Amino acid sequence: MFSTNDRQVEAGEAFTNRQGQWQIVQSALAEHLARITAPGFSVEDLEAPRNNILTFHGVGGIGKTTLSRTLEAALAGAEGRPARWGESVWPARPALLPIRIDLARSADVDFERVVLTIRLALAAHLNRPLPAFDIALRRYWEHQHPGESLEEYLRRGGLAARFGKNLPQQMQSALSDVAQALLLPGTVGSAIGQLTGALTTAIRERRQTVRALAGCARLADLLDVEPDIDALSYYPHLLAFELAQLPAEQATVPVVLLDTFEDTGTRTHRDLERLLQRLVWLMPNAFFIVTGRGRLQWADAALEGQLDWTGPTAWPGLVGQAVPGPRTAGTPTGTDRQVLIGDFSPQDCADYLARRLTRDGQPLIDPGLRTVIAERSHGLPLYLDLAVLRFLELRRAARTPAASDFGTDFPALLTRTLADLTPDERHLLRAVSLLDAFDLPLATAAAGLSHQAAAARLAERPLVREDPFGLWPYSLHALIRSTLRDADDATDDRWTEDDWRAAAGRALAALGSQWAAGTGPDRRLLTGCLRQGLALAHDHALELGWLTDAAFAYTADYVWEPLPLPAQDGNEELATAAGALDELLSTLARRQHEHRARTAERLTAVLETGLLPTELAEMALYFKAKADRDLGHSAASRAGMRQVADGGGRYAPDAARGLAHLARTAGDFPTALATAESLGWPGRGHRVLGDIWFAHGDMDRAAAAYTAARTEAEAHGNAGEQAIAQTHLALTTAFTDPARADDELALAEQLLVGLDQRATTLTAKIAGLVRDAGGDLGDRGDLLRAEITTAGITAAAPLLELAMAFHHSACTDTAATDASIDRLNELTQDGDHAYYTDVARHLAGRASRADSAVLWTEDAEAVRTRWHQLALRRMGR
């Protein structure tokens, strides 16, 4: 109304669908009514557990106050109930009397005002005195407010305007009736102490004249004690007693809605909360709906002494903490009476924005912009309302609001989020906003605190989500996290840039400590620490530290599961060592899904930045050399491998293996063998030996070497090497024993699950072709050729053609065999893998090429014989 001069714009109260919460209220109220109307229920029973309370809690701005107001209207009558909520499920009697009380500091509500509000609502509804309570309240008032009339107090505080002026008259009537019964008519209004003294005596003497009041067993005791605020907190028992005495046609159940409960105090100062708990406990026939940011802790036995009634026995419905997780408005979570209110669903966000501002009955915000705002809000209603105000502000400036206008956060969200947190919790909140997820030790370390108590308290706040199955169980609400990090912070305890950087350094160090303390090869912990650590180091230009060791651990196992690293702008230039390492590791993971030429290009760009320390630069150079080898660029590959091997760093053994592979590729088997025998486990020597014996057709020795490689990898807990060795073992047995190859290939496929090893997966598929050679292969060969071309792993192409040559030889298809040999000649023109052409010829019983330059480790004729015998056995000869 006051944000625009355009009177055609209508600002509607767009209450979104809280159908799930309404259903919970209906169910709880129906259960409550059944309990208090059942035989045996007594308001005098002060030991029975209490189930007369329902709590809705959630992060600030989630719509709790709107829910409280709508519940009040819905309980007051059908006209105030949203149409989609449907009809109520309870009977006409006893009647429900909703009484909403806002406990916000701005409302200046104390316990005295709470009690008066409830009594005034009953006075307006029932229009009759409630003698036991009214007499005690009058005594309290005369004692605590001498010289101030209750009428004037109610008028000045606005309560009389809200509920009418019935209460003073009803109290006067109650006093007159009691004075007359006690034959003390002259004391009314002037000597309340004399009246209550006489009443107390009469009750204890069980006089018939006060029989109605004598039924309240504790009235005399309450009239005897000092009428202070502590005594007032027990008077609700008298109110409950009077409600229980009402005739059936006037039976009433107050439904007290206590909103903004977080403003009643802190976890160390619970004075008002203690009084309110007494109110709830002493009125078991009333029902209370509490809305606030935090859950009620009354069922926690640890609060014994701070509150009068604590523990799960006293409050069975409040046991435990609601688990914050993925949820929408229609799927509330929590215990029976402790419900965490979730974010709006996407449908609710769209509905809210469509109905919040309208013109001529049509939404003022266009659909595309509504979608952008809804996505940005992460379901937080406060953000939606702030976005509406920004929309109107832009229209006032004669601008057409665009999506880019809503790409920043609102500082008001920050203020609302921090409002009710302790200083330690505010400090912790900022620290954990640096992290995607955290646990209590990680949060405490990031904040630089010496104790976890504040982190434990923060974890219970509704702005913290919990995933009990996550590596770190806690995370901040996404919008609140981005606001903390990006919005202008005008709070008194805001952090400087140095504060943020120091916290990032502490968080990075804590992640490193957690990774170092992990037991065994925990890939989940490794990748989680890497993901969060790289983001911290990149965003705050921190030294790599432990991230270097973690990067080597990530690559050591040949397990290429993608790291879900933060998305980077594709045009962003690498500016930090962490950014370069991020790009290196993501390139190594993505190379399983990209052409090897793209991998080489990306690794070259990383190396050219010069940002990586020497040992990590060698890692990048080694994998670039591998990509070059896969692409058939042997000279470039050999130069890179040689540089890394000569450097003597952590990748030197791998580079030595690479040189052995390149020697084998070139057909220089003596050099490859000499290198292989010196590699050992660091250079995966057994696997290199297996490759050499395989090329010689010596399948028994090859199988033994691959088996030894697999066993060694298993002993070292290296799943990636296990899969590679097993796949090559399956390929070897596929040539000699198809039946055994079935088992070996099944094991290889099992080991490959989750590893994302593209080249090894191609080898496994080729092994399947070899196993089935001599039978009907269909178009499997052509499909594999296409897949190899797409991957850019040209080194796999000669092996595929060798497999097809074996198949054609087994089928005695001379023409197809010749075609395979021709393709091999074409693929090996540069001399790499040229020995495969000789092997293909051997399979067909032919001699080696006349110009063959292959250097075998033994007599070439022995190699030819072994390969030819393999083909003959598959033919069945």
Side-chain angles (χ1 to χ4, degrees), residues 580 605-613:
V606 170
L607 287 166
E608 288 177 348
T609 66
L611 294 170
L612 292 175

Side-chain angles (χ1 to χ4, degrees), residues 439-498:
D439 56 16
L440 298 188
L442 182 56
T444 302
L449 299 179
S450 59
H451 52 277
Q452 291 185 10
R457 293 196 305 270
L458 182 67
E460 293 183 359
R461 298 280 186 174
L463 52 83
V464 175
R465 306 312 201 208
E466 182 177 3
D467 176 8
F469 304 107
L471 180 59
W472 295 283
Y474 304 113
S475 61
L476 285 186
H477 185 285
L479 181 58
I480 290 174
R481 182 185 178 213
S482 68
T483 302
L484 282 164
R485 297 182 57 165
D486 302 331
D488 293 334
D489 189 346
T491 57
D492 292 339
D493 58 351
R494 61 186 176 274
W495 280 7
T496 66
E497 287 301 318
D498 287 344

Side-chain angles (χ1 to χ4, degrees), residues 343-390:
D343 304 328
F344 282 176
S345 66
Q347 295 81 7
D348 277 344
C349 290
D351 185 47
Y352 179 98
L353 293 169
R355 293 189 291 118
R356 189 69 177 86
L357 293 176
T358 59
R359 184 172 185 169
D360 298 329
Q362 297 300 313
L364 191 61
I365 306 175
D366 68 71
L369 188 54
R370 293 203 301 268
T371 299
V372 170
I373 295 173
E375 290 175 352
R376 179 69 178 158
S377 75
H378 290 274
L380 193 64
L382 177 58
Y383 181 94
L384 298 176
D385 217 35
L386 292 171
V388 166
L389 293 178
R390 176 170 289 176

Side-chain angles (χ1 to χ4, degrees), residues 804 808-809 811-823 844 846:
M804 296 308 297
H808 298 317
S809 296
C811 295
T812 64
D813 188 337
T814 303
T817 300
D818 290 342
S820 291
I821 293 173
D822 289 341
R823 279 193 292 270
R846 305 174 191 176

